[in-house]
Amino acid sequence: GAVVSQHPSWVICKSGTSVKIECRSLDFQATTMFWYRQFPKQSLMLMATSNEGSKATYEQGVEKDKFLINHASLTLSTLTVTSAHPEDSSFYICSVPPGLAEYNEQFFGPGTRLTVL
Amino acid sequence: GQNIDQPTEMTATEGAIVQINCTYQTSGFNGLFWYQQHAGEAPTFLSYNVLDGLEEKGRFSSFLSRSKGYSYLLLKELQMKDSASYLCASMDSNYQLIWGAGTKLIIKP
């Protein structure tokens, strides 16, 4: 299956700072990636779809100016949480969408735990 | 509309069998996934059903009834390592996934 990495795996930052999370596809080219957020004891919530070479598509209610997505190459997508606040503390996960795997399953990165103090 | 439901939590005994149910309402239904997620980790793929019937894969099996909008994940010979959350997700015709809230499975010795 596809291998997806994320960096960093965890980060602690002060309120008001910006945090960049990288998502890399290691063994294939991904024109599209999904970014999810998961709060404790809740399910995955799709934030946005990252498109290589074009603007990301954001889900309703997700502030595009706060969560900046850049998909500059076929192997790298980045999510920047700008001016982070404690309520942004969450588990952020990227994934490669269906269509690239045998069963159309998504392959997830290991996730990034963000804690904003 | 799009909706998906599964129980919040279930408890089972090591060595036993457990069935986790999932009901869905999805426009342009294009298959149903089950994922396993251990605490603090990303989900990992377990199964995909798009046709009616039972798919068996080792100790895990998944069933789908499209007419009823219903699926279940069956786990046999439960092991302590099976303690995790199990996420049900339906896929629509645009390959978008609609995720359930997950069922936390607690295995007791």
Side-chain angles (χ1 to χ4, degrees):
Chain A
V3 180
V4 182
S5 70
Q6 273 184 249
H7 177 81
S9 55
W10 60 269
V11 58
I12 301 173
C13 69
K14 294 182 179 180
S15 184
T17 60
S18 294
V19 176
K20 179 186 285 187
I21 302 171
E22 293 185 348
C23 178
R24 293 183 183 274
S25 57
L26 301 183
D27 55 355
F28 63 92
Q29 295 181 328
T31 57
T32 302
M33 288 186 182
F34 290 149
W35 283 97
Y36 289 91
R37 178 169 55 182
Q38 187 177 34
F39 293 106
K41 298 183 179 181
Q42 295 186 24
S43 190
L44 298 170
M45 290 180 56
L46 180 65
M47 298 177 65
T49 303
S50 168
N51 302 300
E52 190 269 334
S54 64
K55 293 182 179 180
T57 303
Y58 289 83
E59 295 300 302
Q60 192 172 8
V62 178
E63 300 173 59
K64 60 181 181 181
D65 295 330
K66 180 173 180 61
F67 300 98
L68 302 178
I69 291 175
N70 183 20
H71 196 147
S73 75
L74 291 172
T75 59
L76 174 65
S77 176
T78 61
L79 167 67
T80 301
V81 183
T82 62
S83 186
H85 288 91
E87 59 265 29
D88 298 323
S89 298
S90 187
F91 191 48
Y92 292 86
I93 316 173
C94 68
S95 77
V96 177
L100 300 176
E102 180 180 1
Y103 297 108
N104 285 328
E105 71 270 29
Q106 290 193 16
F107 291 97
F108 288 88
T112 298
R113 177 77 57 191
L114 171 63
T115 302
V116 184
L117 303 177
Chain B
Q2 314 280 51
N3 191 39
I4 192 159
D5 288 306
Q6 55 183 127
T8 304
E9 187 174 296
M10 299 182 70
T11 303
T13 306
E14 188 177 18
I17 299 173
V18 70
Q19 178 175 311
I20 304 174
N21 297 323
C22 172
T23 58
Y24 65 89
Q25 291 178 313
T26 303
S27 301
F29 178 74
N30 195 20
L32 189 124
F33 293 89
W34 284 96
Y35 282 81
Q36 180 190 61
Q37 186 178 26
H38 285 100
E41 299 180 9
T44 55
F45 169 75
L46 289 178
S47 68
Y48 171 70
N49 294 66
V50 66
L51 300 177
D52 286 351
L54 185 68
E55 295 278 346
E56 298 187 68
K57 191 185 295 184
R59 293 190 299 113
F60 293 5
S61 301
S62 57
F63 172 84
L64 177 69
S65 169
R66 295 176 66 121
S67 62
K68 296 182 179 179
Y70 167 69
S71 173
Y72 67 72
L73 180 69
L74 190 71
L75 292 77
K76 304 176 184 177
E77 301 170 19
L78 286 170
Q79 301 174 10
M80 297 303 294
K81 67 178 183 179
D82 297 330
S83 293
S85 285
Y86 291 86
L87 306 176
C88 171
S90 64
M91 184 165 66
D92 65 18
S93 54
N94 296 317
Y95 295 104
Q96 290 273 36
L97 291 184
I98 300 96
W99 293 88
T103 298
K104 182 178 180 181
L105 179 61
I106 300 169
I107 310 295
K108 296 185 175 180

